[in-house]
Amino acid sequence: MPRILAIDFGTKRTGIAVTDALQIIASGLTTVDTKTLLPFLKDYLKQEDVELFLVGEPKQMDNTPSESEAHILPFVSKLQKMFPNIPIKRVDERFTSKMAFQTMIDSGLKKSQRKNKALVDEISATLILQSYLYSK
């Protein structure tokens, strides 16, 4: 069974998470430099079968798009062109960074380890994916 891949897009770094082959468990895959995101995905899809991309959709509290949406839309367009056979769903990503940080605290990571923004991005992508799996 193909995997589902979640993307927490950022202007500098992008967190990526994937499901297991049975689409039951969401796991952080990595964080990549956003400049290398599309080549990374191209290489990943040569090795793994992916049936759906989930891309975080940042929103304000009043449900309007946040400012970072202006950076995400061009990426979504490029992703669609590069992988036309894989659908893309947008998932509300409000509070995922705060939840990721709290997860790091709850898991006992030291303050110096919690400053690792790449880890926050990867955990955020995992939370986006997990929320989608719960809603299915």
Side-chain angles (χ1 to χ4, degrees):
M1 186 174 212
R3 299 173 188 273
I4 298 172
L5 188 139
I7 300 169
D8 180 32
F9 186 88
T11 54
K12 294 179 184 176
R13 290 172 314 280
T14 297
I16 301 172
V18 293
T19 62
D20 61 318
L22 298 175
Q23 297 183 3
I24 297 170
I25 300 168
S27 301
L29 179 63
T30 190
T31 301
V32 298
D33 184 336
T34 298
K35 293 175 195 163
T36 65
L37 177 58
L38 289 171
F40 173 86
L41 292 173
K42 195 172 186 178
D43 287 343
Y44 184 80
L45 267 71
K46 287 178 185 173
Q47 301 163 28
E48 297 291 342
D49 192 16
V50 172
E51 76 173 13
L52 175 66
F53 290 120
L54 299 176
V55 178
E57 185 175 21
K59 295 183 178 184
Q60 305 287 350
M61 290 306 295
D62 64 0
N63 225 21
T64 59
S66 80
E67 294 173 16
S68 56
E69 181 71 0
H71 301 284
I72 297 171
L73 288 175
F75 163 72
V76 170
S77 178
K78 289 176 189 173
L79 187 65
Q80 244 173 352
K81 286 177 186 163
M82 187 174 273
F83 305 106
N85 297 327
I86 302 174
I88 300 169
K89 284 193 179 181
R90 302 297 304 276
V91 178
D92 188 344
E93 67 171 42
R94 278 181 281 195
F95 307 116
T96 55
S97 293
K98 288 180 181 161
M99 290 169 32
F101 191 73
Q102 187 60 48
T103 300
M104 294 169 79
I105 291 169
D106 294 346
S107 64
L109 290 179
K110 295 179 181 166
K111 192 172 187 177
S112 60
Q113 294 169 306
R114 294 193 307 257
K115 290 181 181 177
N116 180 352
K117 293 185 182 196
L119 184 56
V120 172
D121 294 336
E122 185 178 325
I123 293 171
S124 293
T126 307
L127 292 169
I128 290 167
L129 182 52
Q130 193 64 53
S131 72
Y132 174 79
L133 292 175
Y134 283 147
S135 71
K136 264 178 56 169

